[in-house]
Amino acid sequence: NNIKYKCGGEMKKTILILLLFMYSYCFAVVITSQGFESSINDVWSYSNTPSSGTIAVSNLKYYTGLKSLRFGGSSSGNSDPYTTFTNIDLSNYSNVQFSISFAMEGPDADDDLYLQISYDNGVTWNGQGSIKLIDGYSEGVLNFGNTNVSNPTTVSSNPYVVNISDAYDQISIRIKFDE
């Protein structure tokens, strides 16, 4: 019953890892899935925009399976790489939930991880549920399932769950590593 994503970072500078789920809990139906395992369940298409940073599937850290998507920073410290997952039609579903689990290792103080949600096919990226997941902290470490109240500061739950209003008939997800 899940959509899976995992994300991470570069060398010692930053490693951020995500696992995403989307499902309709009323019927416990998987709407789409991406676990970066190259399995038949990995059907949610995505595109990477690394700028001068890096985005790559990796087996160094993972939540489930053996792989994750890692985000890495740049030497300039301002590349802001992101991954965009394709727009999904929600018109035939109700009580949809989206959740994301995350981890990090070694980000700098200004390295943050954002969940950005669009309900208008990517025209805007500040829809209900958009949030800073991790407020980076120098050389911070956080394992999947854990949260921190400070240094680094994270959202209060991991996985972070967004209840999608039935008023929305589509959703796009973007994960952004803000250097």
Side-chain angles (χ1 to χ4, degrees):
N1 302 1
N2 52 27
I3 297 175
K4 300 177 184 177
Y5 294 110
K6 305 168 205 168
C7 304
E10 166 189 316
M11 303 240 196
K12 185 155 169 83
K13 181 169 183 189
T14 304
I15 297 174
L16 302 172
I17 303 170
L18 318 171
L19 173 64
L20 305 148
F21 301 89
M22 187 184 324
Y23 56 94
S24 175
Y25 64 86
C26 183
F27 302 106
V29 172
V30 175
I31 297 171
T32 191
S33 176
Q34 179 52 258
F36 304 103
E37 302 292 329
S38 300
S39 80
I40 60 171
N41 297 320
D42 293 338
V43 296
W44 198 355
S45 299
Y46 63 95
S47 62
N48 295 326
T49 306
S51 301
S52 58
T54 61
I55 304 173
V57 174
S58 169
N59 62 359
L60 295 178
K61 267 196 167 189
Y62 45 86
Y63 189 59
T64 62
L66 298 174
K67 297 180 183 172
S68 64
L69 188 65
R70 298 173 43 124
F71 289 97
S74 65
S75 58
S76 67
N78 62 0
S79 72
D80 300 342
Y82 61 89
T83 296
T84 305
F85 296 89
T86 56
N87 196 62
I88 299 296
D89 180 358
L90 300 178
S91 59
N92 294 320
Y93 302 98
S94 61
N95 302 311
V96 173
Q97 287 189 325
F98 173 84
S99 69
I100 179 171
S101 185
F102 50 88
M104 68 173 193
E105 183 178 302
D108 294 334
D110 293 327
D111 293 344
D112 305 320
L113 185 67
Y114 288 87
L115 166 62
Q116 298 176 318
I117 299 176
S118 176
Y119 298 105
D120 56 15
N121 199 14
V123 175
T124 60
W125 288 101
N126 58 354
Q128 171 262 325
S130 297
I131 195 166
K132 182 190 294 187
L133 297 168
I134 299 174
D135 186 8
Y137 181 74
S138 185
E139 299 303 314
V141 175
L142 182 79
N143 291 320
F144 279 110
N146 294 342
T147 60
N148 268 357
V149 295
S150 67
N151 302 332
T153 304
T154 68
V155 289
S156 61
S157 64
N158 184 0
Y160 175 73
V161 177
V162 179
N163 290 310
I164 309 302
S165 169
D166 289 345
Y168 298 118
D169 61 359
Q170 61 181 329
I171 188 172
S172 296
I173 300 293
R174 183 164 71 184
I175 307 303
K176 180 180 176 184
F177 172 49
D178 186 12
E179 287 192 275

